[in-house]
Amino acid sequence: QQQVKQSPQSLIVQKGGISIINCAYENTAFDYFPWYQQFPGKGPALLIAIRPDVSEKKEGRFTISFNKSAKQFSLHIMDSQPGDSATYFCAAYNQGGKLIFGQGTELSVKP
Amino acid sequence: DAGITQSPRHKVTETGTPVTLRCHQTENHRYMYWYRQDPGHGLRLIHYSYGVKDTDKGEVSDGYSVSRSKTEDFLLTLESATSSQTSVYFCAISPRGEGQETQYFGPGTRLLVL
């Protein structure tokens, strides 16, 4: 029940395309859903986050879509750029104060 | 990296030796965390601290211990390193509290156990 399942494991997108990464969870007590971006050799950095009382949050080219009834959320990267090439992690925060991470998606944006 | 440093950044050690990793923060955040990152597993919580001398276990705590004698420092010790503990270790900090769930990560320590 504490798992967060992320797909796909890897993704190749052409420059200018849309990158979509999906996550699913089981525990309805999760109440905060962040996405982290990680470049090689660096620590993960918060990219965007959403709470379950909204269905969508947009920040620049990055959008989180949240479906509470399906217990799914996704990250959309519009107009993907080579500089977006990184590993992306979804996560869910439980009321015990712990972040549960998905397995990660390695995104490669081809020029 | 949000005022977080980790030391050492790289370490090679031998099986059976003790290893201590240090996390230092300048943000005065109450919560500190140790994660390990392995391919296909994302980030997994080892231990965390919710105050000086207050710590608790995470998902993968076996073989690890932690200590926090000052707000700014959180130490992770591998009592007797094994090859399965070869990994990249990340420290994270968080202010916690209402609307403060975000965790900020350090640059990581790459550990190789031979």
Side-chain angles (χ1 to χ4, degrees):
Chain A
Q1 259 216 325
Q2 292 293 316
Q3 281 188 322
V4 176
K5 295 182 179 179
Q6 183 173 345
S7 62
Q9 283 190 332
S10 62
L11 181 60
I12 300 174
V13 174
Q14 290 298 122
K15 179 182 175 182
I18 302 173
S19 303
I20 302 174
I21 304 170
N22 301 299
C23 286
Y25 64 97
E26 297 176 355
N27 189 341
T28 56
F30 290 148
D31 59 3
Y32 174 73
F33 300 87
W35 284 89
Y36 282 82
Q37 179 187 56
Q38 185 181 29
F39 293 105
K42 303 290 187 182
L46 179 68
L47 184 63
I48 187 172
I50 197 168
R51 297 188 187 278
D53 53 346
V54 299
S55 60
E56 185 174 283
K57 183 174 181 180
K58 184 176 181 179
E59 291 185 0
R61 296 183 294 108
F62 300 91
T63 300
I64 300 178
S65 296
F66 189 85
N67 185 329
K68 189 174 181 178
S69 61
K71 290 185 282 186
Q72 296 175 346
F73 58 111
S74 60
L75 175 69
H76 295 237
I77 306 174
M78 311 300 288
D79 188 25
S80 298
Q81 300 296 313
D84 297 330
S85 297
T87 300
Y88 293 82
F89 293 96
C90 63
Y93 181 85
N94 69 17
Q95 293 171 346
K98 299 175 186 176
L99 271 179
I100 310 299
F101 284 86
Q103 296 83 356
T105 296
E106 192 171 340
L107 172 65
S108 177
V109 181
K110 298 300 185 184
Chain B
D1 291 318
I4 310 169
T5 56
Q6 293 184 232
S7 59
R9 294 293 313 280
H10 302 272
K11 187 167 181 68
V12 180
T13 191
E14 293 187 350
T15 298
T17 59
V19 176
T20 295
L21 308 182
R22 179 180 183 240
C23 177
H24 178 80
Q25 62 148 328
T26 58
E27 306 296 323
N28 200 36
H29 285 341
R30 180 182 172 192
Y31 284 78
M32 299 184 76
Y33 307 81
W34 277 108
Y35 291 89
R36 60 178 290 173
Q37 184 176 25
D38 305 287
H41 291 277
L43 291 115
R44 292 181 293 175
L45 182 65
I46 304 171
H47 281 280
Y48 68 102
S49 169
Y50 48 96
V52 173
K53 297 186 180 179
D54 292 323
T55 65
D56 204 351
K57 295 179 180 180
E59 177 187 1
V60 290
S61 59
D62 287 349
Y64 301 95
S65 62
V66 290
S67 65
R68 191 171 178 195
S69 59
K70 299 185 289 184
T71 298
E72 58 266 35
D73 289 326
F74 192 32
L75 303 181
L76 176 71
T77 298
L78 288 64
E79 306 289 349
S80 177
T82 67
S83 58
S84 65
Q85 293 177 312
T86 291
S87 187
V88 182
Y89 291 86
F90 287 100
C91 174
I93 64 174
S94 175
R96 283 289 300 279
E98 188 69 26
Q100 297 287 342
E101 301 90 343
T102 300
Q103 292 185 19
Y104 303 92
F105 285 80
T109 294
R110 190 172 295 272
L111 177 67
L112 174 61
V113 183
L114 299 175

